[in-house]
Amino acid sequence: MTVKQLRAFIAVAQTLSFTQACEQLHLSQPALSLAIKGLEESLGGRLLIRSTRSVRLTPEGESLVPLAKRLLAEWDNTEELLRQRFTLQLGRLAVATMPSFASNLLPPALMAFRQRYPRVNITVHDVINEQVIDMVRNRQVELGVAFEPEATGSLTFTPLFVDRFVAVVPADSLLADRERLDWATLLTHDFITLQRPSMVRRLLEQQLENRGIVLPTAFESHQLATVGRMVASGLGVSAIPSLCIRQMQELGARCLPLVDPVIERAVGVVTYGTHELSVAALALQEVLAETPRPPLPAPRR
């Protein structure tokens, strides 16, 4: 059966007239007759009995009417739903993003997206960097925002900006009066960091190890917010991506430029290989591409 054949059959069944059905469907008599004949052949029997004066349904034709109406209604609903998704009048999208991006730069991006496409709903999976990569690789989400993976494999990484790590110190610390800090000075204080397998922790350890510096750890936590609270409380110091600066300041800590070495890492959109994204995912990726690089801490005056 085809949709065209079913529409032809319903038009004839409702009007009991080939002439009226032709006018309704804007078809010629031969084209309508061919559609009905094709439907009957595909089903294996007559649906209509046609004479020079009248058209009537066979018992099989009568049984097909409600089924055909339901099939056509479902087809029309599906067609309209897909049309709305393609035009972003309707849709749903799932994304994964590391907490540092989710709590700082993602909200304004989602606000911009919502203003453009108010009927597209987004589910945000706020998970650690490694889980973002896994969720994209396992096709649980269409796209994720994370640090550049060490090995992309089946993934595609599209950079948004290069993030730079900054020092986090207690606001009442003597270090807070510095214009910048070097790692040697920072590590003379108790260091607070994220627990493994955090990408932030691994990146710091790798970069410092290249300089012959061992990263000492006094306190560890799973969440950057907890790290910030510990620093603000005077338990020690830390180093975090610059996109978390505002979050650290809101918690009561102070952020300073961190040098010798400067540690940077690209942040971007992770997608699954050459898999074609939905229209909604492409639209969100376009909005994310407009994300400004997070500002570095201003020098103290």
Side-chain angles (χ1 to χ4, degrees), residues 161 242 247 277 279:
F161 56 85
S242 61
Q247 183 182 10
L277 297 176
V279 176

Side-chain angles (χ1 to χ4, degrees), residues 2-36:
T2 68
V3 172
K4 182 178 179 181
Q5 290 171 343
L6 287 177
R7 291 196 194 283
F9 169 73
I10 288 297
V12 175
Q14 288 178 331
T15 61
L16 294 179
S17 166
F18 270 68
T19 301
Q20 292 181 40
C22 286
E23 294 174 354
Q24 188 180 107
L25 297 173
H26 305 289
L27 288 177
S28 65
Q29 284 264 5
L32 180 60
S33 296
L34 190 62
I36 297 297

